[in-house]
Amino acid sequence: MAFKKTIDVQAAVAIAAAEAIAAKTQGTFGVGGLMLDQHGNVLQSLHNNVIKQGLIFDPTAHGERQLIDWYYAERARGRELPEPQDITIVTSLDPCCMCSGAILAGGFNVVVAAPDKSAGVNYDASATFSALPEALRPQAEATFSYPAILGSSLYTRASSGAAPKSFFIGKTISEPTQALCSLVFEATAGEVTELFNTDLPQQQLKCPMTLASHHAIVRALRQLYPDALAYRCTPQHPDAGLAPFLLQAMARDREHGGAGDAVALLDSFGNLLLCMPGRMSYSGIRSAFMETTRAYAQLRFKLMAGATPAQQDEVRQYLGHPKDGTFVFAQGPDSGAISFMNLGAYGSTMEGPLPLKNPTQFQYVLPGMPEAELAALCATMPPLYRNIIRIRPTQVADQDLIAALA
Ligand SMILES: O=c1cc[nH]c(=O)[nH]1
């Protein structure tokens, strides 16, 4: 949608709400947002794209995350854009942990309309950001704005958080616009979350190693990652055989401006499906985990979109949802914004409880912080992450794998 300029919070939120409605018509989370420069010029507006054609397209395609990648892509193409501290993202919904981590990592400002009591960084409406690692809270307090909503209904609130940037003349949101932002999200959340729980249970999955090497699924997998299926371990127990794949991706991560992270995805049979580096020099939020989870989702989408129901079933059988597999991070989470984004993106990949049989779905090789601190950090995340998904990053058990990467 093409909009030009707004110096009014209400008008900006109305654009975000219009995007959110467009998202609902697409069948994805009803969330929209826009990016403004320091004069109120609308640089870009867009909506959530997690679901397309009734299929998971990209679990990381939340409004705010896409705006930030758009910003970095434009800059990489040579467009002169203001520095992030002069940019304001206006979003119809309180940013989830992935988007909050991305906003904080980049240093952007954000103006928020509707609350999200399940996954929002301000889920308790206190604007104290207790869900964030302690060191990130002051930055959130200085950059996340929750404008006042005047009126007398359940949608009203006092302003909290940072003051919106000074170019905004009007600094409040009208009740109907706030209600619209809330209602359009609520109208979609249940249905979209359900789509994350329609994949086959682990006992109905089939091993892709039993397919011929020229099968379309194997070819697509190897086109994306040439070493796919070149390694197999006992399910959920990655060992030193995974080290060469992680080390190679870690080296590429460094070449791409990262700190040497890499993330592998193993399926429920222990097969290596993908092992990706980040692309931080393309965009400051393209971490190895973001690349891996997105690449896998888009592979499944590419194979399923427009396919017959029988073909879709075959893809679901051989390429299960990641929740039945294992993500192996070369580097465990630390207390920084990128790690918080990764934890959030992990939550957005799962969107529901991990299978009881797979409690160590999230494994890491090298610790980024002491285990107890990491557990405490996960225990303060918003309810979706701590109570429903029960995120529990665990160090791999294999000492040889740890030694190979240390
Ligand atoms: O697009 C979305 C969806 C959910 N939560 C967000 O923060 N953004």
Side-chain angles (χ1 to χ4, degrees):
M1 293 182 211
F3 300 98
K4 288 204 172 85
K5 183 169 170 118
T6 171
I7 51 169
D8 188 64
V9 165
Q10 161 57 28
V13 172
I15 296 172
E19 289 283 3
I21 293 169
K24 180 176 175 357
T25 62
Q26 182 176 305
T28 188
F29 286 118
V31 183
L34 57 153
M35 193 173 252
L36 304 174
D37 71 10
Q38 68 275 44
H39 307 295
N41 294 307
V42 180
L43 301 172
Q44 178 63 292
S45 75
L46 48 72
H47 60 69
N48 182 289
N49 274 305
V50 167
I51 304 295
K52 286 187 181 176
Q53 300 171 42
L55 298 166
I56 298 170
F57 169 69
D58 173 0
T60 75
H62 288 198
E64 310 90 303
R65 196 285 292 158
Q66 293 177 95
L67 284 168
I68 295 171
D69 271 319
W70 173 85
Y71 170 88
Y72 285 123
E74 286 296 290
R75 278 183 66 146
R77 282 174 20 172
R79 179 161 169 194
E80 278 190 27
L81 287 172
E83 291 302 314
Q85 63 266 25
D86 290 323
I87 297 272
T88 299
I89 292 170
V90 179
T91 174
S92 66
L93 188 74
D94 192 28
C96 69
C97 291
M98 169 181 70
C99 294
S100 300
I103 290 165
L104 292 164
F108 297 90
N109 304 285
V110 60
V111 168
V112 181
D116 178 356
K117 290 185 175 147
S118 175
V121 69
N122 187 27
Y123 71 94
D124 61 2
S126 67
T128 59
F129 306 104
S130 58
L132 288 171
E134 219 170 313
L136 296 176
R137 291 176 199 165
Q139 188 190 342
E141 281 162 16
T143 53
F144 281 49
S145 308
Y146 296 83
I149 296 139
L150 306 177
S152 54
S153 73
L154 59 100
Y155 295 103
T156 62
R157 73 177 177 209
S159 68
S160 61
K165 285 283 188 187
S166 56
F167 70 83
F168 282 117
I169 303 302
K171 294 192 198 304
T172 58
I173 303 172
S174 77
E175 260 180 317
T177 306
Q178 178 76 347
L180 189 57
C181 292
S182 276
L183 291 170
V184 74
F185 175 64
E186 287 161 16
T188 56
E191 209 173 293
V192 174
T193 306
E194 210 29 57
L195 285 172
F196 282 77
N197 292 301
T198 49
D199 278 298
L200 298 173
Q202 196 274 329
Q203 51 294 3
Q204 287 178 36
L205 296 177
K206 293 184 179 166
C207 177
M209 283 290 281
T210 60
L211 292 171
S213 59
H214 59 265
H215 190 285
I217 292 177
V218 178
R219 277 197 285 126
L221 198 49
R222 291 203 171 122
Q223 198 178 1
L224 179 61
Y225 179 58
D227 287 331
L229 308 179
Y231 162 81
R232 183 175 187 166
C233 61
T234 306
Q236 304 168 17
H237 290 86
D239 56 31
L242 184 60
F245 304 98
L246 284 170
L247 286 166
Q248 191 189 36
M250 289 164 79
R252 282 182 37 224
D253 185 83
R254 284 190 199 95
E255 282 162 29
H256 293 316
D261 200 7
V263 175
L265 174 60
L266 309 177
D267 70 11
S268 69
F269 302 92
N271 295 308
L272 174 63
L273 299 180
L274 286 181
C275 185
M276 311 283 277
R279 290 182 178 271
M280 299 295 270
S281 55
Y282 293 65
S283 160
I285 60 167
R286 287 184 66 176
S287 67
F289 181 68
M290 298 292 262
E291 293 294 293
T292 305
T293 191
R294 185 180 304 139
Y296 186 63
Q298 293 193 341
L299 171 71
R300 295 176 88 221
F301 177 84
K302 195 174 100 186
L303 288 165
M304 284 197 270
T308 64
Q311 287 166 332
Q312 288 195 359
D313 281 352
E314 192 182 35
V315 176
R316 287 186 200 280
Q317 280 165 356
Y318 287 99
L319 298 177
H321 189 276
K323 69 177 64 163
D324 288 301
T326 310
F327 279 117
V328 186
F329 287 61
Q331 299 188 7
D334 59 26
S335 56
I338 289 289
S339 277
F340 195 72
M341 173 188 77
N342 287 337
L343 287 169
Y346 180 80
S348 298
T349 300
M350 300 306 162
E351 287 291 356
L354 291 170
L356 289 176
K357 280 192 188 155
N358 196 18
T360 56
Q361 201 290 346
F362 184 147
Q363 300 193 24
Y364 60 86
V365 182
L366 305 174
M369 59 162 64
E371 202 180 309
E373 257 178 58
L374 178 55
L377 192 152
C378 294
T380 58
M381 290 180 80
L384 169 71
Y385 310 90
R386 67 165 187 244
N387 297 338
I388 298 176
I389 302 169
R390 294 201 183 92
I391 294 185
R392 189 162 75 85
T394 311
Q395 190 172 25
V396 298
D398 190 277
Q399 294 304 312
D400 293 339
L401 176 54
I402 297 172
L405 261 59

